[in-house]
């Protein structure tokens, strides 16, 4: 999924735009309402929304770059920086908090050696606490991508990472 | 119409109007922050809320339409409380630095806080301060002061069509940003300053004006921009004899508040240390200049010119005046040349730009001027833009084209070899090979006539020579036209059908049509298109040259041409000759004089001895400057009137310092024939004199007394001698000016020419064969080179290059080369 993103010496990414163009080609006569589906597919394809891809969208859809930037910065589902292959969401809602979410967060920070909202150097994980994932019966809980891991302890959480 | 009650007052309004518009019409004030008359309503600021009887909540009057029987209260206690709360919320995120803020005095937030007596806010600032964007020399952005009204975003989108700014990071941290928060100059900004002009607070400021003065300290002087033929109205803000800021009036034509980067930020050139302030003379051009008094300089010019006239005859002299000069100056220049020097060797810089327009349009329609007004562009259904990179050369006219396409659904046909910015807005782009205009237009005519799409009634009643035209264009079927021009035949057919299918088709063209060996043929071909489809003489139609310099139209109208007096009265017409001879009190030559290139030829041949050049720099701007410079070096005597030591001035024997357009009274005539007054805003530099005064003083010293108290008196003389100007005087020109012809003192002016009949009677369809350009690429010189305009600079750059702001934004030139051409080498 992320092979097309290679980080060069300067730390910026060389983006292979072929996937972006393939996505855009599906929207031959696009309207402004196509923007969000296009962005979602680009986010899926690259794991984030590369700057150069936004320029391609502008060229393809005639939607001004400034407007697209406005949309991308509004929705939390879009990221302008490369994200990890997997996203870890630790629930910090009331039930999880009482059941020890703080310990889990601390452990994950140590294990991954990154802060909240950051991505590991190998681009494997992006780690972000969230307000609630809506599964209090599993508290304390975290999600990795679309999968739930419930009734956690700090050690179980750390061990789960090894599955990825 | 519906009727409603606003604050108990009965108000009539159209159903499409908003409550705010209805209230404004009735003289009831409703405060706004995010509303601007040119922009779509957004209802963002909630300052304009009003109470509508029966409505669930307060209503934003800027966005709510009126309805029958509506009862509106604009100042109830509920409304006032809501507005005060709103101001408190805005103020909680606004720095309290009115003491040093440049906006103080014209800040809408400040005046609303005063009106509503809001002294402070109960709310706490949530957003951390950010660093102001000081990265460009024109527009200063301090987002700490932004109240998120969005007017800058909308004007950048709806008026300028540049989309540089948008809302980003929406939520508590919402801000107005460029894409990726890049500096303006890297984000596609063209520095038109529209955003600054609508910002209600101090978030966006004209940077060159900051710390220069408070709004109440400045005198506002309205005048006309001199950076292109659109002739935008300007308001100069003057403090202690200095122009510190330029704005524009939203209600004044032709620009209605819009300006480009040159008009808004190109105002500092006049105080350049390079300004000439003392007359300078020398005996020969190998010597250095010597500063002298005006008396000595004028005396020398008079003596030398009399001497040359006496020893070499009247034909050894020629005068070139400037399309940047006023009508009055151009009138006096040609009067001087004809009455004092006794020759018609008179020309102006329009020779190398729009003289073919004058010739071509006169041959076809009888009048060498634009047929319609610039405002007509917005309502056209089909626009042909040919040979005009409008966004760069006439930025404010381009806004009208974009508006026609984006907001009014017009179809745009672009004829241009380059992919200019307007191509993005085009329905069809006819990408022709340079110099094949006439063939392409003949191809379009062929399709229209061949498919029977022409307006037969119009052709029958109002034109002549259709049969010959048919014969000639029959030779240009789409296949052959494609072969000559490189434009695919299907595009030729498509464009022809689109243009022939409307009764609101307007042609706009630029120097890409005229700057050819057969430039006038290109113009006549375009006139053919308008004539056979009947797209002339009505609103939103016609054929309209975009003039390059500010007064190209006027300098030609004033007779600064070798063959005509004012408004094209022929020098060899005995009646005109008699009229002017009598008025000027001397016999006048009847033989048409030399055109500018012929003057250089005569000078090189040694027959031409003296030239008088006013505000024109041919030694820098002509295509073959070596030829021009050699010609000037051969002259015995060259007098130049200038602001700066230009390339031409460097070859002169006498250089006389004059005033720029901020320092002048007079009139300019823009591309739509609008004669408009310049008003002197600042004094002449010490030591300089007005162009018109200098001409009068030289004439007087030569024994032909010329004296006027003010340029207005010169205009009175022009009006007496020129039927089209008969109704024009300075009093009547106050405000937005008048569009000639103005036949008498009651006449309102004529924005549309040729309504019922053409100036020449019938419209002439000129049958023209395409002739290739003289020099085509060959093995030795295998590439085409075409030149183009740049948004940031004007003409020889003598003015625009001396504006530090503009120079910082654009200080280099470049050539664009097709990658294929590079590989081929």
């Amino acid at each position: 999924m992320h092979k097309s993103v290679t980080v060069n010496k300067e730390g910026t990414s060389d983006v292979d735009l072929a996937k972006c163009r393939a996505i855009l080609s599906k929207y031959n006569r696009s309207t402004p309402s196509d923007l969000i589906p296009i962005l979602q597919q680009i986010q899926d394809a690259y794991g984030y929304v590369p700057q150069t891809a936004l320029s391609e969208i502008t060229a393809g859809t005639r939607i001004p770059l400034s407007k697209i930037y406005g949309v991308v910065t509004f929705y939390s589902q879009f990221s302008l920086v490369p994200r990890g292959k997997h996203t870890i969401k630790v629930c910090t809602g009331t039930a999880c908090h009482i059941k020890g979410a703080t310990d889990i967060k601390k452990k994950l920070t140590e294990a991954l050696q990154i802060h909240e909202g950051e991505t590991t150097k190998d681009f494997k994980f992006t780690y972000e606490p969230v307000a609630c994932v809506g599964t209090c019966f599993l508290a304390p809980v975290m999600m990795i991508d679309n999968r739930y891991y419930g009734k956690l302890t700090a050690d179980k959480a750390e061990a789960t990472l090894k599955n990825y | 119409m519906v009727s409603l009650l606003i604050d108990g007052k009965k108000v009539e309004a159209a159903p499409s109007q908003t409550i705010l518009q209805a209230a404004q019409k009735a003289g009831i004030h409703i405060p706004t922050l995010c509303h601007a008359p040119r922009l779509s309503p957004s209802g963002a600021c909630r300052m304009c809320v009003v109470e509508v009887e029966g409505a669930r909540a307060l209503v934003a009057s800027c966005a709510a339409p009126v309805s029958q029987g509506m009862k509106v209260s604009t100042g109830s206690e509920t409304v006032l409380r809501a507005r005060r709360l709103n101001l408190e919320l805005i103020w909680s995120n606004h720095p309290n630095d009115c003491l040093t803020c440049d906006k103080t005095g014209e800040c809408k937030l400040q005046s609303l806080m005063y009106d509503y007596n809001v002294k402070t806010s109960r709310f706490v600032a949530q957003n951390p301060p950010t660093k102001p964007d000081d990265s460009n020399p024109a527009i200063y952005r301090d987002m700490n002061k932004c109240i998120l009204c969005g007017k800058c975003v909308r004007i950048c989108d709806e008026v300028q069509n540049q989309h540089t700014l948008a809302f980003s990071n929406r939520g508590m941290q919402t801000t107005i940003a460029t894409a990726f928060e890049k500096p303006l100059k890297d984000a596609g900004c063209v520095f038109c300053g529209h955003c600054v002009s609508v910002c209600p607070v101090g978030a966006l400021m004209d940077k060159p004006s900051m710390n220069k003065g408070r709004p109440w300290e400045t005198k506002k002087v309205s005048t006309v921009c001199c950076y292109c033929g659109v002739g935008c109205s300007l308001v100069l803000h003057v403090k202690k004899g200095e122009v510190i800021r330029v704005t524009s009036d939203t209600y004044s034509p032709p620009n209605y508040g819009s300006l480009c980067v040159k008009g808004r930020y190109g105002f500092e050139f006049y105080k350049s240390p390079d300004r000439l302030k003392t007359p300078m003379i020398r005996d020969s051009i190998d010597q250095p200049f010597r500063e002298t008094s005006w008396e000595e300089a004028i005396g020398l010019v008079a003596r030398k010119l009399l001497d040359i006239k006496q020893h070499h005859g009247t034909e050894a002299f020629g005068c070139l005046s400037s399309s940047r000069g006023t009508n009055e100056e151009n009138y006096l220049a040609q009067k001087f040349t004809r009455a004092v020097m006794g020759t018609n060797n008179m020309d102006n810089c329009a020779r190398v730009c729009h003289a073919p327009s004058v010739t071509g349009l006169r041959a076809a329609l009888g009048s060498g001027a634009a047929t319609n007004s610039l405002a007509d562009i917005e309502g056209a259904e089909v626009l042909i833009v040919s040979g005009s990179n409008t966004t760069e050369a006439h930025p404010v006219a381009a806004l009208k084209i974009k508006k026609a396409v984006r907001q009014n659904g017009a179809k745009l046909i672009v004829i241009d070899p380059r992919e200019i910015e307007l191509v993005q807005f085009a329905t069809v782009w006819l990408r022709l090979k340079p110099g094949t205009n006439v063939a392409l237009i003949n191809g379009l005519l062929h399709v229209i006539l061949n498919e029977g799409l022409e307006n037969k009634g119009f052709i029958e009643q109002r034109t002549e020579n259709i049969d010959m035209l048919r014969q000639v264009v029959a030779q240009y079927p789409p296949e052959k036209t494609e072969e000559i021009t490189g434009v695919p035949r299907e595009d030729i057919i498509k464009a022809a059908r689109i243009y022939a299918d409307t009764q609101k088709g307007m042609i706009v063209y630029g120097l890409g049509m005229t700057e050819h060996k057969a430039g006038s043929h290109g113009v006549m071909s375009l006139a053919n298109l308008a004539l056979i489809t009947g797209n002339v003489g009505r609103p939103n139609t016609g054929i309209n040259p975009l003039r390059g310099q500010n007064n190209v139209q006027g300098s030609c109208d004033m007779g600064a041409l070798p063959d005509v007096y004012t408004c094209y009265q022929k020098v060899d017409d005995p009646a005109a000759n008699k009229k002017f001879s009598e008025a000027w009190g001397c016999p006048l030559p009847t033989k048409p004089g030399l055109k500018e290139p012929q003057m250089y030829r005569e000078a090189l041949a040694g027959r031409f001895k003296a030239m008088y050049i006013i505000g024109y720099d041919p030694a820098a701007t002509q295509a073959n400057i070596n030829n021009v410079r050699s010609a000037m070096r051969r002259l015995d005597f060259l007098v130049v009137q200038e602001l700066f030591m230009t390339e031409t001035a460097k070859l002169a024997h006498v250089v006389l310092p004059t005033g720029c357009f901020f320092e002048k009274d007079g009139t300019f005539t823009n591309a739509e024939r609008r004669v408009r007054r310049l008003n002197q805003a600042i004094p002449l530099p010490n030591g300089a004199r007005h162009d018109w005064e200098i001409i009068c003083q030289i004439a007087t010293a030569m024994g032909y007394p010329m004296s006027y108290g003010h340029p207005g008196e010169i205009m009175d003389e022009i009006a007496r001698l020129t039927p089209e100007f008969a109704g024009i005087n300075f009093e009547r020109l106050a405000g937005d000016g008048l569009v000639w012809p103005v036949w008498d003192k009651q006449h309102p002016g004529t924005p549309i020419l040729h309504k019922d009949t053409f100036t020449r009677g019938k419209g002439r369809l000129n049958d023209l064969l395409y002739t290739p350009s003289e020099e085509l690429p060959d093995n030795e010189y295998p590439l085409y080179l075409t030149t183009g305009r740049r948004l940031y600079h004007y003409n020889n750059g003598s003015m625009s290059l001396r504006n530090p702001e503009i120079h910082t934004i654009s200080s280099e030139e470049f050539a664009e080369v097709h990658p294929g051409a590079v590989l081929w080498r």
Side-chain angles (χ1 to χ4, degrees):
Chain A
M1 176 171 158
H2 292 273
K3 275 181 193 141
S4 57
V5 182
T6 54
V7 178
N8 61 25
K9 268 186 251 160
E10 287 78 40
T12 55
S13 307
D14 298 323
V15 179
D16 169 16
L17 289 169
K19 285 190 292 189
C20 172
R21 289 181 186 138
I23 292 164
L24 282 168
S25 69
K26 291 187 281 184
Y27 295 85
N28 196 9
R29 285 194 192 144
S30 57
T31 62
S33 60
D34 293 329
L35 178 60
I36 287 178
I38 291 172
L39 287 171
Q40 284 169 326
Q41 290 172 67
I42 286 177
Q43 172 83 39
D44 277 352
Y46 294 94
Y48 74 113
V49 187
Q51 256 194 49
T52 42
L54 292 192
S55 301
E56 289 284 313
I57 302 177
T58 288
T61 63
R62 300 256 178 106
I63 300 170
L65 195 56
S66 58
K67 292 245 162 86
I68 301 178
Y69 182 72
V71 170
V72 171
T73 54
F74 175 66
Y75 291 102
S76 57
Q77 61 178 305
F78 302 125
S79 170
L80 284 163
V81 290
R83 291 169 63 93
K85 187 174 176 186
H86 305 290
T87 301
I88 305 169
K89 292 177 187 156
V90 176
C91 181
T92 58
T94 314
C96 292
H97 179 76
I98 290 168
K99 291 252 190 172
T102 315
D103 295 341
I104 295 166
K105 285 201 298 182
K106 190 162 168 246
K107 192 68 165 186
L108 286 178
T109 314
E110 285 164 15
L112 297 167
Q113 293 186 310
I114 51 172
H115 293 102
E116 296 176 1
E118 289 181 352
T119 300
T120 53
K121 275 191 188 134
D122 60 0
F123 287 95
K124 198 165 181 188
F125 295 108
T126 295
Y127 161 55
E128 51 191 23
V130 295
C132 181
V133 298
T135 54
C136 304
F137 59 98
L138 291 173
V141 63
M142 71 174 181
M143 284 177 77
I144 298 182
D145 299 332
N146 294 320
R147 201 163 158 195
Y148 294 86
Y149 295 91
K151 304 201 185 300
L152 286 175
T153 61
D155 291 339
K156 262 163 84 182
E158 188 185 7
T160 309
L161 299 181
K162 300 207 166 64
N163 299 337
Y164 288 87
Chain B
M1 295 297 266
V2 299
S3 77
L4 64 159
L5 282 179
I6 304 181
D7 295 342
K9 190 171 170 183
K10 198 173 162 200
V11 181
E12 298 277 328
S16 60
Q17 287 189 304
T18 61
I19 299 173
L20 177 66
Q21 286 167 330
Q24 282 170 342
K25 204 176 108 193
I28 296 165
H29 175 72
I30 297 176
T32 62
L33 284 169
C34 74
H35 173 80
R38 284 191 288 173
L39 305 178
S40 60
S42 77
C45 77
R46 317 309 291 179
M47 274 316 290
C48 71
V49 288
V50 293
E51 210 171 347
V52 175
E53 201 176 280
R56 259 186 325 117
L58 296 178
V59 169
S61 64
C62 72
V66 295
S67 63
Q68 178 62 37
M70 198 177 229
K71 285 186 185 143
V72 179
S73 168
T74 70
S76 68
E77 190 43 47
T78 320
V79 167
L80 298 183
R81 212 170 54 231
R83 288 186 189 151
R84 280 192 209 106
L85 179 69
N86 201 8
L87 286 169
E88 276 193 74
L89 284 163
I90 295 172
W91 185 246
S92 71
N93 258 325
H94 194 92
N96 183 357
D97 77 341
C98 301
L99 286 179
T100 53
C101 179
D102 274 280
K103 196 75 178 185
T104 287
E106 44 182 37
C107 174
K108 279 189 109 180
L109 178 61
Q110 189 183 45
S111 69
L112 286 171
M113 297 287 282
Y114 178 84
D115 290 347
Y116 287 82
N117 195 25
V118 179
K119 292 182 188 302
T120 180
S121 175
R122 284 168 285 168
F123 305 100
V124 182
Q126 290 293 322
N127 290 344
T130 58
K131 212 169 156 280
D133 172 10
D134 196 12
S135 63
N136 74 80
I139 299 172
Y140 185 84
R141 298 172 69 232
D142 182 356
M143 288 301 105
N144 297 305
K145 292 181 183 170
C146 177
I147 60 165
L148 300 173
C149 69
K151 280 202 271 194
C152 55
V153 175
R154 278 177 286 147
I155 205 159
C156 193
D157 169 3
E158 295 170 20
V159 176
Q160 186 63 35
N161 292 279
Q162 211 62 31
H163 319 286
T164 303
L165 299 171
F167 285 95
S168 76
N169 289 298
R170 285 177 192 259
M172 197 56 212
Q173 312 288 328
T174 305
T175 180
I176 308 290
T178 60
F180 308 107
E181 270 124 274
K182 283 185 179 160
L184 287 178
K185 68 177 168 47
D186 303 327
C189 178
V190 292
F191 299 98
C192 61
H194 270 113
C195 52
V196 181
S197 75
V198 292
C199 183
V201 293
L204 296 168
M205 300 295 295
D206 290 320
K207 197 169 158 191
S209 314
M210 290 174 75
N211 298 313
K212 298 271 171 68
R214 294 299 200 182
W216 58 83
E217 295 175 318
T218 56
K219 185 175 76 176
K220 278 76 174 173
V221 183
S222 83
T223 194
V224 188
C225 182
C226 90
Y227 281 115
C228 81
V230 173
C232 291
S233 60
L234 301 180
V235 178
L236 307 178
H237 299 238
V238 182
K239 181 183 165 186
K240 291 185 185 158
E242 274 195 42
V243 179
I244 63 164
R245 190 179 174 206
V246 178
T247 59
S248 181
D249 177 358
T250 318
Y251 297 97
S252 183
N255 50 316
Y256 297 99
S258 290
L259 292 175
C260 76
V261 60
K262 298 186 289 294
R264 199 183 299 275
Y265 298 114
F267 64 86
E268 299 205 282
F269 70 93
Y270 76 92
K271 47 187 168 188
S272 157
D274 303 344
R275 273 298 286 276
L276 301 173
K277 288 173 187 160
T278 319
M280 289 189 289
I281 58 173
R282 58 182 169 184
D283 292 329
S284 88
I285 59 168
D286 323 317
Q287 295 173 348
F289 278 111
R290 170 169 78 77
E291 294 192 349
T292 185
S293 69
W294 274 99
E295 288 61 39
E296 189 184 352
I298 300 265
L300 175 69
V301 174
R303 223 169 34 246
K304 278 278 193 181
L305 291 182
L306 278 173
D307 186 53
I308 284 164
K309 188 176 164 187
Q310 201 178 350
H311 289 99
H312 300 282
T314 55
E315 295 311 300
F317 169 85
C319 174
L320 297 174
S321 68
S322 175
S323 303
R324 294 196 217 182
T326 64
N327 287 325
E328 293 73 13
E329 289 155 10
N330 277 287
Y331 172 80
L332 287 191
Q334 58 97 30
K335 180 177 177 181
F336 172 83
T337 303
R338 295 186 162 118
V340 184
M341 294 305 295
T343 173
N344 283 315
N345 293 338
M346 178 73 223
D347 214 346
N348 80 83
C349 30
R351 175 60 50 203
V352 287
C353 63
H354 271 291
S357 289
V358 175
T359 314
L361 292 176
R362 264 166 76 196
L365 314 175
S367 176
T371 59
N372 288 58
S373 67
L374 290 164
D376 271 11
I377 293 173
E378 293 179 9
E381 286 174 355
V382 177
L383 283 162
I384 294 182
V385 175
S386 184
S388 162
N389 189 359
T390 327
T391 50
E392 301 261 354
H394 300 90
V396 173
L399 304 184
K400 295 176 193 292
I401 297 170
K402 291 176 181 176
K403 185 173 175 186
V405 174
R406 267 190 79 205
Q407 294 185 25
N408 304 337
K411 287 181 179 150
L412 174 64
I413 298 164
V414 171
I415 305 179
D416 206 291
R418 283 181 65 226
E419 189 175 0
I420 56 173
E421 191 184 326
L422 282 180
V423 168
Q424 290 171 35
F425 296 80
T427 307
V428 194
W429 171 30
L430 304 177
R431 182 178 210 171
L432 77 176
K433 288 182 193 154
T436 60
N437 305 329
V438 174
L440 178 64
I441 295 162
N442 278 346
L444 296 171
L445 292 164
H446 176 97
V447 175
I448 294 171
L449 291 171
N450 197 42
E451 298 191 0
L453 307 173
E454 72 275 23
N455 185 334
K456 296 184 184 72
F458 190 91
I459 294 173
E460 172 74 20
Q461 286 159 24
R462 296 201 50 189
T463 69
E464 59 189 35
N465 204 35
I466 181 69
D467 295 332
M468 285 301 291
L469 183 73
R470 277 184 196 278
Q471 279 183 31
V472 166
V473 302
Q475 300 169 42
Y476 296 86
E479 307 72 47
K480 189 180 164 199
T481 310
E482 174 177 330
E483 208 174 284
I484 302 171
T485 63
V487 180
R489 63 196 76 176
E490 50 276 16
D491 288 346
I492 297 169
I493 295 167
K494 187 177 173 191
R497 286 177 184 165
I498 289 173
Y499 180 69
D501 189 36
T502 180
Q503 287 302 299
K504 284 187 177 186
M506 194 162 175
I507 298 170
V508 174
Y509 72 91
L511 297 178
M513 290 302 296
T514 57
E515 287 186 332
H516 293 281
K517 193 179 118 224
S520 56
H521 287 192
V523 176
M524 289 182 225
S525 306
L526 284 176
N528 287 343
L529 265 184
L531 287 170
I532 66 160
T533 54
N535 274 316
V536 200
R538 281 174 287 108
N540 318 113
T541 65
I543 162 160
N544 301 281
L546 289 170
R547 305 309 181 106
Q549 295 184 56
N550 52 302
N551 202 28
V552 172
Q553 181 69 52
S555 56
C556 295
D557 296 344
M558 289 300 106
L561 292 170
D563 55 338
V564 289
Y565 304 119
T566 54
C567 272
Y568 315 101
Q569 305 173 72
K570 294 255 182 196
V571 294
D572 50 6
D573 168 14
N577 189 284
K578 182 163 175 277
K579 177 167 82 173
F580 280 86
S581 300
E582 283 171 6
W584 294 346
C586 60
L588 295 174
T590 52
K591 191 178 132 231
L594 300 173
K595 296 172 186 161
E596 184 189 348
Q598 295 169 328
M599 293 187 197
Y600 302 133
R601 220 170 294 152
E602 288 296 295
L604 281 170
R607 289 189 288 270
F608 223 49
K609 299 296 176 192
M611 285 182 87
Y612 181 11
I613 301 180
I614 303 169
Y616 178 23
D617 189 14
T621 58
Q622 282 277 342
N624 190 347
I625 51 173
N626 288 326
N627 181 58
V628 171
R629 290 177 187 182
S630 307
M632 288 179 178
R633 284 198 194 96
R634 294 281 321 257
L635 295 170
D636 288 353
F637 194 57
L638 174 62
V639 186
V640 172
Q641 263 165 236
E642 257 303 346
L643 303 178
F644 299 105
M645 186 53 77
T646 59
E647 294 306 309
T648 306
K650 285 178 191 165
L651 297 169
H653 298 85
V654 177
V655 179
L656 303 172
T658 67
C660 74
F661 76 110
F662 294 150
E663 298 152 359
K664 280 182 187 181
D665 283 320
T667 58
F668 287 157
T669 308
N670 77 350
E672 58 179 3
R673 294 172 280 110
R674 182 184 299 278
V675 185
R676 201 184 169 109
R677 265 177 75 176
L678 292 172
N679 292 297
Q680 184 172 359
I682 52 173
L684 278 173
N686 230 347
R689 287 189 182 176
H690 288 298
D691 287 287
W692 67 271
E693 286 176 334
I694 302 170
I695 300 169
C696 290
Q697 284 156 3
I698 295 173
T700 307
M702 289 176 72
Y704 183 93
M706 257 196 214
S707 144
Y708 303 88
H710 183 265
E713 295 175 12
I714 306 172
M715 181 51 84
D716 292 340
E717 181 175 320
I718 297 165
R720 280 197 297 278
L721 290 165
T722 316
E724 287 88 342
F725 276 63
I728 292 182
N729 60 40
F730 268 33
E731 291 69 47
R732 284 200 74 198
L733 290 176
D736 297 335
L738 289 163
V739 179
W740 71 256
V742 188
W743 301 107
D744 58 54
K745 292 281 185 291
Q746 277 72 46
H747 194 275
T750 318
I752 300 172
L753 290 179
H754 318 299
K755 266 187 175 160
D756 304 310
T757 173
F758 288 99
T759 312
R760 70 182 294 281
K762 285 205 166 188
R764 168 92 186 163
L765 296 162
N766 292 283
D767 48 298
L768 302 160
L769 285 166
Y770 156 68
T771 48
S773 300
E774 210 154 274
E775 269 190 275
L776 289 167
D778 55 23
N779 283 337
E780 204 181 342
Y781 293 100
L783 301 175
Y784 279 105
L785 172 69
T786 71
T787 57
R789 282 294 183 86
R790 303 271 278 123
L791 170 64
Y792 294 97
H793 289 291
Y794 177 53
N795 204 265
N796 63 347
S798 65
M799 287 157 59
S800 55
L801 281 167
R802 288 186 169 89
N803 291 304
E805 289 74 28
I806 290 179
H807 198 260
T808 308
I809 299 167
S810 168
S811 55
E812 284 183 338
E813 279 310 338
F814 53 85
E816 295 174 326
V817 186
H818 190 280
V822 180
L823 293 174
W824 174 86
R825 290 300 288 171

